[in-house]
Amino acid sequence: MKSLLESLLARERVFVVGSGGVGKTTVSAALAIKAAIEGPLSVLVVTVDPAKRLASTLGVRALANAPRRVELDGLGAKGQLWAASVDMKSAWDDLVLQFSPDEDTAKRILSSPIYHNLSAKFIGSYDYAAVQVLAALTADDRYDLVVVDTPPSRNALDFLDAPARLREFFSSPLLAFLTLPRRTRFFSAATRPFYLVADMVLGSAFLEDLTDFFSDFARLAPGLVEQSRSFSELLTVPATGFIAIAAPYGPSVDEAHRLLQALKTRDLNAVAFIVNRSLPGWLFTSQAQGARVWLETEAPSALAERFARDSKANAAVLRVVSELVFTHEQFGRARDRELVDALRDVGIDLFEIPIAESELDTPRALAALIASATRTQR
């Protein structure tokens, strides 16, 4: 049976997906570090998550679209590790410069106030920029393995669907409508009333700026559409895999399960499911259960007697005891109900990564995290 690292190294690109707060960024960084240590590979880890936690996780300064080398001193690494993070503003600027048919078109787009507002505030603009950056990075043959830390699962689906939405936009009636005045002086009877009203409400100058901008933006279509189409195809090839992550409590497992089903409907290759921060088995033994019962039933009176003269200390200790009991119950229920059952009908490998007993603030600690992963029988 394959280990988690072997499942990773069998791919050229791995997308790590899951809900927020389950450790996607930490596990993505750890997977990349472990791969660079164990194999003579050039490994790139890139985050598409707008929260941008990857830099702090790796212990480096701010990351950008251009990959940056991450040192793995003292770990006997056989390969190299690089890291990058999508910067939306510079990504859009780079795309305009890359796909504009000429320098004048690029200058007009980049200087347009409409462009600055759309690239910064338009819904989905981050996803579109991220797709184009990743398309370039994942196609770069300098890297043997690319690990992608995606946004939280609900946003991850938007991100995965962004290439198709971009192609739909460039072929949409909306874009044709917005560029109509530039393409012809003769408006149909259906469109003329709109432009007459828009001219009165918005002013002729704004309407002309809007038309000019979208006419120039439409000229980016050939390059953007081709790159997004190539990226969509890249997502479905056997060399690309998806690893879903959940924590063994709360709704994250259910959400990850739904995400796996969404990947399946998109013909995307889910290769593993990681239950991160799993608790050690001894916490679920009869001795541990007995300790929990004692904490819940007898500890309050024993502590009250012990701290009779210090009400603040007594209240603080009781609060900690209550939190321990509550946490144990939550983890226990989640482990019984969700840990394996969530994957029973999905048919992919299940791994558990135990909760870390120390800070995950060095490459060595992160590599050890992957080494601690165990495969769980379904």
Side-chain angles (χ1 to χ4, degrees), residues 290-316:
R292 183 191 66 77
V293 171
W294 180 86
L295 282 172
E296 189 173 11
T297 59
E298 299 182 36
S301 58
L303 291 170
E305 182 178 346
R306 173 68 177 80
F307 293 100
R309 296 182 179 181
D310 192 339
S311 59
K312 289 185 178 179
N314 185 40

mmCIF file with all atom_site columns, all heavy atoms in Angstrom, residues 290-316:
data_model
loop_
_atom_site.group_PDB
_atom_site.id
_atom_site.type_symbol
_atom_site.label_atom_id
_atom_site.label_alt_id
_atom_site.label_comp_id
_atom_site.label_asym_id
_atom_site.label_entity_id
_atom_site.label_seq_id
_atom_site.pdbx_PDB_ins_code
_atom_site.Cartn_x
_atom_site.Cartn_y
_atom_site.Cartn_z
_atom_site.occupancy
_atom_site.B_iso_or_equiv
_atom_site.pdbx_formal_charge
_atom_site.auth_seq_id
_atom_site.auth_comp_id
_atom_site.auth_asym_id
_atom_site.auth_atom_id
_atom_site.pdbx_PDB_model_num
ATOM 1   N N   . GLY A 1 290 ? -12.706 6.829  31.549 1.00 0.00 ? 290 GLY A N   1
ATOM 2   C CA  . GLY A 1 290 ? -12.867 6.939  32.995 1.00 0.00 ? 290 GLY A CA  1
ATOM 3   C C   . GLY A 1 290 ? -12.332 8.257  33.521 1.00 0.00 ? 290 GLY A C   1
ATOM 4   O O   . GLY A 1 290 ? -12.932 8.873  34.419 1.00 0.00 ? 290 GLY A O   1
ATOM 5   N N   . ALA A 1 291 ? -11.201 8.705  32.953 1.00 0.00 ? 291 ALA A N   1
ATOM 6   C CA  . ALA A 1 291 ? -10.634 9.990  33.365 1.00 0.00 ? 291 ALA A CA  1
ATOM 7   C C   . ALA A 1 291 ? -11.579 11.137 33.012 1.00 0.00 ? 291 ALA A C   1
ATOM 8   O O   . ALA A 1 291 ? -11.743 12.089 33.781 1.00 0.00 ? 291 ALA A O   1
ATOM 9   C CB  . ALA A 1 291 ? -9.276  10.198 32.693 1.00 0.00 ? 291 ALA A CB  1
ATOM 10  N N   . ARG A 1 292 ? -12.224 11.022 31.853 1.00 0.00 ? 292 ARG A N   1
ATOM 11  C CA  . ARG A 1 292 ? -13.167 12.068 31.448 1.00 0.00 ? 292 ARG A CA  1
ATOM 12  C C   . ARG A 1 292 ? -14.358 12.118 32.402 1.00 0.00 ? 292 ARG A C   1
ATOM 13  O O   . ARG A 1 292 ? -14.806 13.200 32.807 1.00 0.00 ? 292 ARG A O   1
ATOM 14  C CB  . ARG A 1 292 ? -13.651 11.830 30.018 1.00 0.00 ? 292 ARG A CB  1
ATOM 15  C CG  . ARG A 1 292 ? -14.588 12.942 29.513 1.00 0.00 ? 292 ARG A CG  1
ATOM 16  C CD  . ARG A 1 292 ? -15.256 12.551 28.221 1.00 0.00 ? 292 ARG A CD  1
ATOM 17  N NE  . ARG A 1 292 ? -16.170 11.442 28.397 1.00 0.00 ? 292 ARG A NE  1
ATOM 18  C CZ  . ARG A 1 292 ? -17.385 11.550 28.924 1.00 0.00 ? 292 ARG A CZ  1
ATOM 19  N NH1 . ARG A 1 292 ? -17.834 12.700 29.366 1.00 0.00 ? 292 ARG A NH1 1
ATOM 20  N NH2 . ARG A 1 292 ? -18.153 10.488 29.032 1.00 0.00 ? 292 ARG A NH2 1
ATOM 21  N N   . VAL A 1 293 ? -14.861 10.937 32.775 1.00 0.00 ? 293 VAL A N   1
ATOM 22  C CA  . VAL A 1 293 ? -15.988 10.887 33.707 1.00 0.00 ? 293 VAL A CA  1
ATOM 23  C C   . VAL A 1 293 ? -15.592 11.508 35.040 1.00 0.00 ? 293 VAL A C   1
ATOM 24  O O   . VAL A 1 293 ? -16.364 12.261 35.652 1.00 0.00 ? 293 VAL A O   1
ATOM 25  C CB  . VAL A 1 293 ? -16.463 9.429  33.894 1.00 0.00 ? 293 VAL A CB  1
ATOM 26  C CG1 . VAL A 1 293 ? -17.489 9.352  35.023 1.00 0.00 ? 293 VAL A CG1 1
ATOM 27  C CG2 . VAL A 1 293 ? -17.060 8.903  32.592 1.00 0.00 ? 293 VAL A CG2 1
ATOM 28  N N   . TRP A 1 294 ? -14.351 11.211 35.503 1.00 0.00 ? 294 TRP A N   1
ATOM 29  C CA  . TRP A 1 294 ? -13.894 11.787 36.774 1.00 0.00 ? 294 TRP A CA  1
ATOM 30  C C   . TRP A 1 294 ? -13.809 13.308 36.667 1.00 0.00 ? 294 TRP A C   1
ATOM 31  O O   . TRP A 1 294 ? -14.225 14.020 37.579 1.00 0.00 ? 294 TRP A O   1
ATOM 32  C CB  . TRP A 1 294 ? -12.522 11.214 37.140 1.00 0.00 ? 294 TRP A CB  1
ATOM 33  C CG  . TRP A 1 294 ? -12.001 11.770 38.439 1.00 0.00 ? 294 TRP A CG  1
ATOM 34  C CD1 . TRP A 1 294 ? -12.269 11.302 39.697 1.00 0.00 ? 294 TRP A CD1 1
ATOM 35  C CD2 . TRP A 1 294 ? -11.161 12.910 38.608 1.00 0.00 ? 294 TRP A CD2 1
ATOM 36  N NE1 . TRP A 1 294 ? -11.648 12.077 40.652 1.00 0.00 ? 294 TRP A NE1 1
ATOM 37  C CE2 . TRP A 1 294 ? -10.943 13.081 40.006 1.00 0.00 ? 294 TRP A CE2 1
ATOM 38  C CE3 . TRP A 1 294 ? -10.552 13.805 37.729 1.00 0.00 ? 294 TRP A CE3 1
ATOM 39  C CZ2 . TRP A 1 294 ? -10.168 14.105 40.529 1.00 0.00 ? 294 TRP A CZ2 1
ATOM 40  C CZ3 . TRP A 1 294 ? -9.776  14.826 38.244 1.00 0.00 ? 294 TRP A CZ3 1
ATOM 41  C CH2 . TRP A 1 294 ? -9.583  14.974 39.626 1.00 0.00 ? 294 TRP A CH2 1
ATOM 42  N N   . LEU A 1 295 ? -13.277 13.797 35.529 1.00 0.00 ? 295 LEU A N   1
ATOM 43  C CA  . LEU A 1 295 ? -13.181 15.244 35.335 1.00 0.00 ? 295 LEU A CA  1
ATOM 44  C C   . LEU A 1 295 ? -14.558 15.900 35.386 1.00 0.00 ? 295 LEU A C   1
ATOM 45  O O   . LEU A 1 295 ? -14.735 16.984 35.932 1.00 0.00 ? 295 LEU A O   1
ATOM 46  C CB  . LEU A 1 295 ? -12.514 15.554 33.993 1.00 0.00 ? 295 LEU A CB  1
ATOM 47  C CG  . LEU A 1 295 ? -10.994 15.419 33.915 1.00 0.00 ? 295 LEU A CG  1
ATOM 48  C CD1 . LEU A 1 295 ? -10.526 15.570 32.467 1.00 0.00 ? 295 LEU A CD1 1
ATOM 49  C CD2 . LEU A 1 295 ? -10.304 16.459 34.788 1.00 0.00 ? 295 LEU A CD2 1
ATOM 50  N N   . GLU A 1 296 ? -15.532 15.194 34.817 1.00 0.00 ? 296 GLU A N   1
ATOM 51  C CA  . GLU A 1 296 ? -16.862 15.779 34.697 1.00 0.00 ? 296 GLU A CA  1
ATOM 52  C C   . GLU A 1 296 ? -17.651 15.699 36.001 1.00 0.00 ? 296 GLU A C   1
ATOM 53  O O   . GLU A 1 296 ? -18.407 16.627 36.328 1.00 0.00 ? 296 GLU A O   1
ATOM 54  C CB  . GLU A 1 296 ? -17.629 15.063 33.578 1.00 0.00 ? 296 GLU A CB  1
ATOM 55  C CG  . GLU A 1 296 ? -18.941 15.716 33.204 1.00 0.00 ? 296 GLU A CG  1
ATOM 56  C CD  . GLU A 1 296 ? -19.582 15.068 31.988 1.00 0.00 ? 296 GLU A CD  1
ATOM 57  O OE1 . GLU A 1 296 ? -19.117 13.984 31.571 1.00 0.00 ? 296 GLU A OE1 1
ATOM 58  O OE2 . GLU A 1 296 ? -20.536 15.635 31.453 1.00 0.00 ? 296 GLU A OE2 1
ATOM 59  N N   . THR A 1 297 ? -17.440 14.620 36.778 1.00 0.00 ? 297 THR A N   1
ATOM 60  C CA  . THR A 1 297 ? -18.297 14.402 37.943 1.00 0.00 ? 297 THR A CA  1
ATOM 61  C C   . THR A 1 297 ? -17.628 14.724 39.278 1.00 0.00 ? 297 THR A C   1
ATOM 62  O O   . THR A 1 297 ? -18.255 15.284 40.183 1.00 0.00 ? 297 THR A O   1
ATOM 63  C CB  . THR A 1 297 ? -18.787 12.947 37.974 1.00 0.00 ? 297 THR A CB  1
ATOM 64  O OG1 . THR A 1 297 ? -17.638 12.074 38.018 1.00 0.00 ? 297 THR A OG1 1
ATOM 65  C CG2 . THR A 1 297 ? -19.619 12.632 36.731 1.00 0.00 ? 297 THR A CG2 1
ATOM 66  N N   . GLU A 1 298 ? -16.379 14.351 39.433 1.00 0.00 ? 298 GLU A N   1
ATOM 67  C CA  . GLU A 1 298 ? -15.724 14.487 40.732 1.00 0.00 ? 298 GLU A CA  1
ATOM 68  C C   . GLU A 1 298 ? -14.730 15.642 40.809 1.00 0.00 ? 298 GLU A C   1
ATOM 69  O O   . GLU A 1 298 ? -14.474 16.180 41.888 1.00 0.00 ? 298 GLU A O   1
ATOM 70  C CB  . GLU A 1 298 ? -15.004 13.173 41.092 1.00 0.00 ? 298 GLU A CB  1
ATOM 71  C CG  . GLU A 1 298 ? -15.948 11.980 41.190 1.00 0.00 ? 298 GLU A CG  1
ATOM 72  C CD  . GLU A 1 298 ? -15.205 10.713 41.598 1.00 0.00 ? 298 GLU A CD  1
ATOM 73  O OE1 . GLU A 1 298 ? -14.261 10.822 42.409 1.00 0.00 ? 298 GLU A OE1 1
ATOM 74  O OE2 . GLU A 1 298 ? -15.563 9.631  41.095 1.00 0.00 ? 298 GLU A OE2 1
ATOM 75  N N   . ALA A 1 299 ? -14.164 16.002 39.672 1.00 0.00 ? 299 ALA A N   1
ATOM 76  C CA  . ALA A 1 299 ? -13.140 17.053 39.685 1.00 0.00 ? 299 ALA A CA  1
ATOM 77  C C   . ALA A 1 299 ? -13.652 18.387 40.228 1.00 0.00 ? 299 ALA A C   1
ATOM 78  O O   . ALA A 1 299 ? -12.937 19.051 40.980 1.00 0.00 ? 299 ALA A O   1
ATOM 79  C CB  . ALA A 1 299 ? -12.565 17.227 38.282 1.00 0.00 ? 299 ALA A CB  1
ATOM 80  N N   . PRO A 1 300 ? -14.874 18.819 39.857 1.00 0.00 ? 300 PRO A N   1
ATOM 81  C CA  . PRO A 1 300 ? -15.320 20.136 40.351 1.00 0.00 ? 300 PRO A CA  1
ATOM 82  C C   . PRO A 1 300 ? -15.279 20.267 41.871 1.00 0.00 ? 300 PRO A C   1
ATOM 83  O O   . PRO A 1 300 ? -14.793 21.266 42.403 1.00 0.00 ? 300 PRO A O   1
ATOM 84  C CB  . PRO A 1 300 ? -16.751 20.233 39.814 1.00 0.00 ? 300 PRO A CB  1
ATOM 85  C CG  . PRO A 1 300 ? -16.728 19.408 38.565 1.00 0.00 ? 300 PRO A CG  1
ATOM 86  C CD  . PRO A 1 300 ? -15.838 18.244 38.901 1.00 0.00 ? 300 PRO A CD  1
ATOM 87  N N   . SER A 1 301 ? -15.781 19.238 42.586 1.00 0.00 ? 301 SER A N   1
ATOM 88  C CA  . SER A 1 301 ? -15.785 19.337 44.058 1.00 0.00 ? 301 SER A CA  1
ATOM 89  C C   . SER A 1 301 ? -14.370 19.234 44.617 1.00 0.00 ? 301 SER A C   1
ATOM 90  O O   . SER A 1 301 ? -14.018 19.932 45.577 1.00 0.00 ? 301 SER A O   1
ATOM 91  C CB  . SER A 1 301 ? -16.665 18.229 44.660 1.00 0.00 ? 301 SER A CB  1
ATOM 92  O OG  . SER A 1 301 ? -16.204 16.949 44.257 1.00 0.00 ? 301 SER A OG  1
ATOM 93  N N   . ALA A 1 302 ? -13.538 18.378 44.016 1.00 0.00 ? 302 ALA A N   1
ATOM 94  C CA  . ALA A 1 302 ? -12.160 18.242 44.490 1.00 0.00 ? 302 ALA A CA  1
ATOM 95  C C   . ALA A 1 302 ? -11.386 19.545 44.276 1.00 0.00 ? 302 ALA A C   1
ATOM 96  O O   . ALA A 1 302 ? -10.615 19.980 45.143 1.00 0.00 ? 302 ALA A O   1
ATOM 97  C CB  . ALA A 1 302 ? -11.462 17.097 43.762 1.00 0.00 ? 302 ALA A CB  1
ATOM 98  N N   . LEU A 1 303 ? -11.594 20.169 43.140 1.00 0.00 ? 303 LEU A N   1
ATOM 99  C CA  . LEU A 1 303 ? -10.908 21.424 42.853 1.00 0.00 ? 303 LEU A CA  1
ATOM 100 C C   . LEU A 1 303 ? -11.431 22.556 43.729 1.00 0.00 ? 303 LEU A C   1
ATOM 101 O O   . LEU A 1 303 ? -10.670 23.441 44.147 1.00 0.00 ? 303 LEU A O   1
ATOM 102 C CB  . LEU A 1 303 ? -11.079 21.772 41.371 1.00 0.00 ? 303 LEU A CB  1
ATOM 103 C CG  . LEU A 1 303 ? -10.338 20.855 40.395 1.00 0.00 ? 303 LEU A CG  1
ATOM 104 C CD1 . LEU A 1 303 ? -10.785 21.139 38.972 1.00 0.00 ? 303 LEU A CD1 1
ATOM 105 C CD2 . LEU A 1 303 ? -8.830  21.033 40.533 1.00 0.00 ? 303 LEU A CD2 1
ATOM 106 N N   . ALA A 1 304 ? -12.741 22.532 43.999 1.00 0.00 ? 304 ALA A N   1
ATOM 107 C CA  . ALA A 1 304 ? -13.314 23.567 44.851 1.00 0.00 ? 304 ALA A CA  1
ATOM 108 C C   . ALA A 1 304 ? -12.693 23.513 46.248 1.00 0.00 ? 304 ALA A C   1
ATOM 109 O O   . ALA A 1 304 ? -12.413 24.549 46.872 1.00 0.00 ? 304 ALA A O   1
ATOM 110 C CB  . ALA A 1 304 ? -14.831 23.395 44.942 1.00 0.00 ? 304 ALA A CB  1
ATOM 111 N N   . GLU A 1 305 ? -12.458 22.307 46.728 1.00 0.00 ? 305 GLU A N   1
ATOM 112 C CA  . GLU A 1 305 ? -11.820 22.159 48.038 1.00 0.00 ? 305 GLU A CA  1
ATOM 113 C C   . GLU A 1 305 ? -10.355 22.590 47.986 1.00 0.00 ? 305 GLU A C   1
ATOM 114 O O   . GLU A 1 305 ? -9.857  23.246 48.899 1.00 0.00 ? 305 GLU A O   1
ATOM 115 C CB  . GLU A 1 305 ? -11.931 20.704 48.491 1.00 0.00 ? 305 GLU A CB  1
ATOM 116 C CG  . GLU A 1 305 ? -11.341 20.442 49.867 1.00 0.00 ? 305 GLU A CG  1
ATOM 117 C CD  . GLU A 1 305 ? -11.508 18.996 50.298 1.00 0.00 ? 305 GLU A CD  1
ATOM 118 O OE1 . GLU A 1 305 ? -12.303 18.262 49.657 1.00 0.00 ? 305 GLU A OE1 1
ATOM 119 O OE2 . GLU A 1 305 ? -10.845 18.593 51.266 1.00 0.00 ? 305 GLU A OE2 1
ATOM 120 N N   . ARG A 1 306 ? -9.699  22.210 46.890 1.00 0.00 ? 306 ARG A N   1
ATOM 121 C CA  . ARG A 1 306 ? -8.264  22.539 46.751 1.00 0.00 ? 306 ARG A CA  1
ATOM 122 C C   . ARG A 1 306 ? -8.045  24.038 46.646 1.00 0.00 ? 306 ARG A C   1
ATOM 123 O O   . ARG A 1 306 ? -7.081  24.580 47.183 1.00 0.00 ? 306 ARG A O   1
ATOM 124 C CB  . ARG A 1 306 ? -7.711  21.826 45.499 1.00 0.00 ? 306 ARG A CB  1
ATOM 125 C CG  . ARG A 1 306 ? -6.286  22.198 45.123 1.00 0.00 ? 306 ARG A CG  1
ATOM 126 C CD  . ARG A 1 306 ? -5.284  21.702 46.152 1.00 0.00 ? 306 ARG A CD  1
ATOM 127 N NE  . ARG A 1 306 ? -3.938  21.995 45.750 1.00 0.00 ? 306 ARG A NE  1
ATOM 128 C CZ  . ARG A 1 306 ? -3.317  23.176 45.887 1.00 0.00 ? 306 ARG A CZ  1
ATOM 129 N NH1 . ARG A 1 306 ? -3.991  24.189 46.456 1.00 0.00 ? 306 ARG A NH1 1
ATOM 130 N NH2 . ARG A 1 306 ? -2.074  23.339 45.507 1.00 0.00 ? 306 ARG A NH2 1
ATOM 131 N N   . PHE A 1 307 ? -8.931  24.742 45.940 1.00 0.00 ? 307 PHE A N   1
ATOM 132 C CA  . PHE A 1 307 ? -8.755  26.176 45.717 1.00 0.00 ? 307 PHE A CA  1
ATOM 133 C C   . PHE A 1 307 ? -9.802  26.997 46.478 1.00 0.00 ? 307 PHE A C   1
ATOM 134 O O   . PHE A 1 307 ? -10.254 28.038 46.020 1.00 0.00 ? 307 PHE A O   1
ATOM 135 C CB  . PHE A 1 307 ? -8.862  26.493 44.223 1.00 0.00 ? 307 PHE A CB  1
ATOM 136 C CG  . PHE A 1 307 ? -7.742  25.919 43.407 1.00 0.00 ? 307 PHE A CG  1
ATOM 137 C CD1 . PHE A 1 307 ? -7.932  24.746 42.680 1.00 0.00 ? 307 PHE A CD1 1
ATOM 138 C CD2 . PHE A 1 307 ? -6.498  26.535 43.372 1.00 0.00 ? 307 PHE A CD2 1
ATOM 139 C CE1 . PHE A 1 307 ? -6.912  24.208 41.917 1.00 0.00 ? 307 PHE A CE1 1
ATOM 140 C CE2 . PHE A 1 307 ? -5.466  26.000 42.611 1.00 0.00 ? 307 PHE A CE2 1
ATOM 141 C CZ  . PHE A 1 307 ? -5.666  24.826 41.890 1.00 0.00 ? 307 PHE A CZ  1
ATOM 142 N N   . ALA A 1 308 ? -10.174 26.520 47.648 1.00 0.00 ? 308 ALA A N   1
ATOM 143 C CA  . ALA A 1 308 ? -11.228 27.176 48.419 1.00 0.00 ? 308 ALA A CA  1
ATOM 144 C C   . ALA A 1 308 ? -10.888 28.619 48.750 1.00 0.00 ? 308 ALA A C   1
ATOM 145 O O   . ALA A 1 308 ? -11.774 29.476 48.854 1.00 0.00 ? 308 ALA A O   1
ATOM 146 C CB  . ALA A 1 308 ? -11.490 26.386 49.710 1.00 0.00 ? 308 ALA A CB  1
ATOM 147 N N   . ARG A 1 309 ? -9.617  28.901 48.896 1.00 0.00 ? 309 ARG A N   1
ATOM 148 C CA  . ARG A 1 309 ? -9.213  30.248 49.287 1.00 0.00 ? 309 ARG A CA  1
ATOM 149 C C   . ARG A 1 309 ? -8.876  31.138 48.083 1.00 0.00 ? 309 ARG A C   1
ATOM 150 O O   . ARG A 1 309 ? -8.483  32.289 48.269 1.00 0.00 ? 309 ARG A O   1
ATOM 151 C CB  . ARG A 1 309 ? -7.993  30.169 50.211 1.00 0.00 ? 309 ARG A CB  1
ATOM 152 C CG  . ARG A 1 309 ? -8.274  29.473 51.515 1.00 0.00 ? 309 ARG A CG  1
ATOM 153 C CD  . ARG A 1 309 ? -7.046  29.470 52.407 1.00 0.00 ? 309 ARG A CD  1
ATOM 154 N NE  . ARG A 1 309 ? -7.310  28.812 53.694 1.00 0.00 ? 309 ARG A NE  1
ATOM 155 C CZ  . ARG A 1 309 ? -6.400  28.687 54.663 1.00 0.00 ? 309 ARG A CZ  1
ATOM 156 N NH1 . ARG A 1 309 ? -5.180  29.196 54.491 1.00 0.00 ? 309 ARG A NH1 1
ATOM 157 N NH2 . ARG A 1 309 ? -6.716  28.082 55.787 1.00 0.00 ? 309 ARG A NH2 1
ATOM 158 N N   . ASP A 1 310 ? -8.991  30.587 46.904 1.00 0.00 ? 310 ASP A N   1
ATOM 159 C CA  . ASP A 1 310 ? -8.645  31.368 45.695 1.00 0.00 ? 310 ASP A CA  1
ATOM 160 C C   . ASP A 1 310 ? -9.737  31.157 44.647 1.00 0.00 ? 310 ASP A C   1
ATOM 161 O O   . ASP A 1 310 ? -9.658  30.265 43.813 1.00 0.00 ? 310 ASP A O   1
ATOM 162 C CB  . ASP A 1 310 ? -7.285  30.935 45.151 1.00 0.00 ? 310 ASP A CB  1
ATOM 163 C CG  . ASP A 1 310 ? -6.751  31.900 44.082 1.00 0.00 ? 310 ASP A CG  1
ATOM 164 O OD1 . ASP A 1 310 ? -7.568  32.649 43.495 1.00 0.00 ? 310 ASP A OD1 1
ATOM 165 O OD2 . ASP A 1 310 ? -5.536  31.894 43.834 1.00 0.00 ? 310 ASP A OD2 1
ATOM 166 N N   . SER A 1 311 ? -10.785 31.970 44.728 1.00 0.00 ? 311 SER A N   1
ATOM 167 C CA  . SER A 1 311 ? -11.946 31.774 43.849 1.00 0.00 ? 311 SER A CA  1
ATOM 168 C C   . SER A 1 311 ? -11.589 31.985 42.374 1.00 0.00 ? 311 SER A C   1
ATOM 169 O O   . SER A 1 311 ? -12.132 31.310 41.487 1.00 0.00 ? 311 SER A O   1
ATOM 170 C CB  . SER A 1 311 ? -13.069 32.732 44.255 1.00 0.00 ? 311 SER A CB  1
ATOM 171 O OG  . SER A 1 311 ? -12.624 34.083 44.174 1.00 0.00 ? 311 SER A OG  1
ATOM 172 N N   . LYS A 1 312 ? -10.675 32.914 42.094 1.00 0.00 ? 312 LYS A N   1
ATOM 173 C CA  . LYS A 1 312 ? -10.292 33.163 40.700 1.00 0.00 ? 312 LYS A CA  1
ATOM 174 C C   . LYS A 1 312 ? -9.580  31.949 40.094 1.00 0.00 ? 312 LYS A C   1
ATOM 175 O O   . LYS A 1 312 ? -9.856  31.538 38.973 1.00 0.00 ? 312 LYS A O   1
ATOM 176 C CB  . LYS A 1 312 ? -9.404  34.402 40.606 1.00 0.00 ? 312 LYS A CB  1
ATOM 177 C CG  . LYS A 1 312 ? -10.138 35.712 40.855 1.00 0.00 ? 312 LYS A CG  1
ATOM 178 C CD  . LYS A 1 312 ? -9.209  36.897 40.615 1.00 0.00 ? 312 LYS A CD  1
ATOM 179 C CE  . LYS A 1 312 ? -9.973  38.220 40.812 1.00 0.00 ? 312 LYS A CE  1
ATOM 180 N NZ  . LYS A 1 312 ? -9.064  39.382 40.591 1.00 0.00 ? 312 LYS A NZ  1
ATOM 181 N N   . ALA A 1 313 ? -8.643  31.386 40.873 1.00 0.00 ? 313 ALA A N   1
ATOM 182 C CA  . ALA A 1 313 ? -7.924  30.203 40.394 1.00 0.00 ? 313 ALA A CA  1
ATOM 183 C C   . ALA A 1 313 ? -8.887  29.032 40.211 1.00 0.00 ? 313 ALA A C   1
ATOM 184 O O   . ALA A 1 313 ? -8.802  28.278 39.235 1.00 0.00 ? 313 ALA A O   1
ATOM 185 C CB  . ALA A 1 313 ? -6.813  29.832 41.374 1.00 0.00 ? 313 ALA A CB  1
ATOM 186 N N   . ASN A 1 314 ? -9.802  28.882 41.149 1.00 0.00 ? 314 ASN A N   1
ATOM 187 C CA  . ASN A 1 314 ? -10.778 27.805 41.065 1.00 0.00 ? 314 ASN A CA  1
ATOM 188 C C   . ASN A 1 314 ? -11.634 27.944 39.813 1.00 0.00 ? 314 ASN A C   1
ATOM 189 O O   . ASN A 1 314 ? -11.876 26.970 39.082 1.00 0.00 ? 314 ASN A O   1
ATOM 190 C CB  . ASN A 1 314 ? -11.668 27.807 42.308 1.00 0.00 ? 314 ASN A CB  1
ATOM 191 C CG  . ASN A 1 314 ? -12.630 26.622 42.329 1.00 0.00 ? 314 ASN A CG  1
ATOM 192 O OD1 . ASN A 1 314 ? -12.245 25.520 41.965 1.00 0.00 ? 314 ASN A OD1 1
ATOM 193 N ND2 . ASN A 1 314 ? -13.856 26.860 42.735 1.00 0.00 ? 314 ASN A ND2 1
ATOM 194 N N   . ALA A 1 315 ? -12.098 29.168 39.530 1.00 0.00 ? 315 ALA A N   1
ATOM 195 C CA  . ALA A 1 315 ? -12.926 29.401 38.343 1.00 0.00 ? 315 ALA A CA  1
ATOM 196 C C   . ALA A 1 315 ? -12.145 29.123 37.066 1.00 0.00 ? 315 ALA A C   1
ATOM 197 O O   . ALA A 1 315 ? -12.661 28.532 36.111 1.00 0.00 ? 315 ALA A O   1
ATOM 198 C CB  . ALA A 1 315 ? -13.437 30.840 38.353 1.00 0.00 ? 315 ALA A CB  1
ATOM 199 N N   . ALA A 1 316 ? -10.864 29.539 37.044 1.00 0.00 ? 316 ALA A N   1
ATOM 200 C CA  . ALA A 1 316 ? -10.031 29.324 35.857 1.00 0.00 ? 316 ALA A CA  1
ATOM 201 C C   . ALA A 1 316 ? -9.801  27.837 35.599 1.00 0.00 ? 316 ALA A C   1
ATOM 202 O O   . ALA A 1 316 ? -9.900  27.356 34.466 1.00 0.00 ? 316 ALA A O   1
ATOM 203 C CB  . ALA A 1 316 ? -8.690  30.049 36.023 1.00 0.00 ? 316 ALA A CB  1
#
